[in-house]
Amino acid sequence: MLQMLAFSSFSPKYHPYVQHSRCVKTYQPPVTHIHGVLNRNQGKKYAIKCSENSFYPTNRITERNDVVCKPFNNNDRVTAVTLQDGYASKSEDEDGSPKNVFLKNLNALYRFMYPYACFGVLMATTSNSLLPVEKLADLTPTFFIGLLKPLVPLVLMHIYGVAVNQVADVEIDKVNKPYMPLASGEFSMETGIAITWISALMSLASAIMLQSPPLVLGVIAWLFISTAYSAQLPFLRWKGNSFLAAVCMVFMCGLLPQVPFFFHVQKYLLGRPMEITKPLMFASAFMTCLSVAIAFVKDLHDVEGDREHGIQTLSVMLGKEKVFWLSVYMLSTAYGAAVLAGASSSFLLSKLVTIIGHATLLLFLWHRARNVDLSNNESIFSFYMFIWQLYYAEYLLIHFVR
């Protein structure tokens, strides 16, 4: 019978018994605190499943010969279980109940979607869809319902973009991102390919159902550019070329989540003629610059796998440091231009918010940039996620550009 340790949050980060291993190992049962009484379960052998990144003192571990090695996913929690006849029993979260299988697959799908990027495109589209609004009378229930409908093809085309990339790069991800569902084996290749095709067909079908040419063209463009970026087909696989990779990021992060949805709302929700406005031009230009920086920084922590598989990203060719500071200077230029755009506004509120907001974000950028350790992939990834936070913040500020 499965015996769990008495404390509910058994974290390897703070536990002294765990040694560096990628196995299930046995050790003496710890003293536990149960309802105010100290207790040690005598006569039971315990196993612990620990992360390969766990480096902890081993002075309290009693090594035994009955070691049961069992590879596991890096995201698994540390779990102590009773050994029966020298073998580790199956933990509760590894049983085959339909509920646990469903939750496990749901968690894998969530990570498969790159949730931070999905949130980014959702925020970008929603924010840009509000730019055509000129007066409060435009904000009717019908408007908000119409605003929500295009989010369906948006999420589906985002899933297609990340799915086709992971299917094409599964071997590279085994080096760069071994925790991702396809690379770790949580999803089979057949599952990955099925998600890719289903998301592509459903995104196009849902856009056609909305009867909006800007949306249909936007989805077609997204599907093509996502395929061109990742697919190993003749004349494609653009991610292997630094310039073409940056162009893809400009479209997928800078233009396609904005322009088609802006025109859809302007023409097919508000019934106004399609025209390019100052806020749209500012948002497109600024996000283009930010998207290129995202593309460059994204490759910094993937250098090892890209070099091993012959992908000549800018980081591989020029080195991490040069590409990192190029990205920082590029973002600094964009924020400087945003401050000037705010200073040229004739509206006082617009002027103050645009200048102060962008100047503050610029200071945060340099503060974080000076503390990045380019020899540490965790530090690089932390900075990469910080740039996504800048991306989110900008979609709040663009509404003050008038």
Side-chain angles (χ1 to χ4, degrees), residues 107-267:
N107 176 268
L109 180 62
Y110 175 77
R111 289 180 285 113
F112 185 79
M113 290 172 57
Y114 285 108
Y116 61 87
C118 185
F119 178 75
V121 294
L122 280 170
M123 188 170 184
T125 300
T126 304
S127 180
N128 279 283
S129 296
L130 293 173
L131 289 179
V133 174
E134 297 177 356
K135 52 186 182 294
L136 289 177
D138 292 335
L139 302 178
T140 63
T142 303
F143 172 83
F144 285 108
I145 293 173
L147 193 67
L148 291 175
K149 289 180 180 179
L151 299 184
V152 175
L154 174 76
V155 171
L156 290 168
M157 70 186 196
H158 166 76
I159 293 174
Y160 172 79
V162 297
V164 71
N165 184 62
Q166 290 178 70
V167 168
D169 286 0
V170 63
E171 294 301 322
I172 300 176
D173 284 345
K174 288 178 181 178
V175 178
N176 291 335
K177 304 180 184 75
Y179 50 84
M180 292 304 292
L182 278 180
S184 66
E186 291 178 83
F187 280 172
S188 66
M189 281 296 291
E190 290 77 11
T191 300
I193 293 171
I195 293 173
T196 304
W197 277 105
I198 291 172
S199 58
L201 295 174
M202 289 184 65
S203 64
L204 186 58
S206 57
I208 293 173
M209 289 173 62
L210 292 175
Q211 299 180 349
S212 172
L215 286 184
V216 174
L217 292 175
V219 169
I220 292 174
W222 182 286
L223 297 179
F224 170 75
I225 292 173
S226 298
T227 305
Y229 179 79
S230 301
Q232 299 188 24
L233 296 172
F235 306 108
L236 300 183
R237 190 67 170 172
W238 291 357
K239 69 179 299 178
N241 181 286
S242 298
F243 173 76
L244 292 177
V247 169
C248 290
M249 291 301 292
V250 165
F251 276 94
M252 289 191 289
C253 292
L255 298 178
L256 291 179
Q258 299 183 74
V259 178
F261 295 89
F262 176 89
F263 287 136
H264 166 72
V265 171
Q266 192 179 56
K267 173 69 175 178

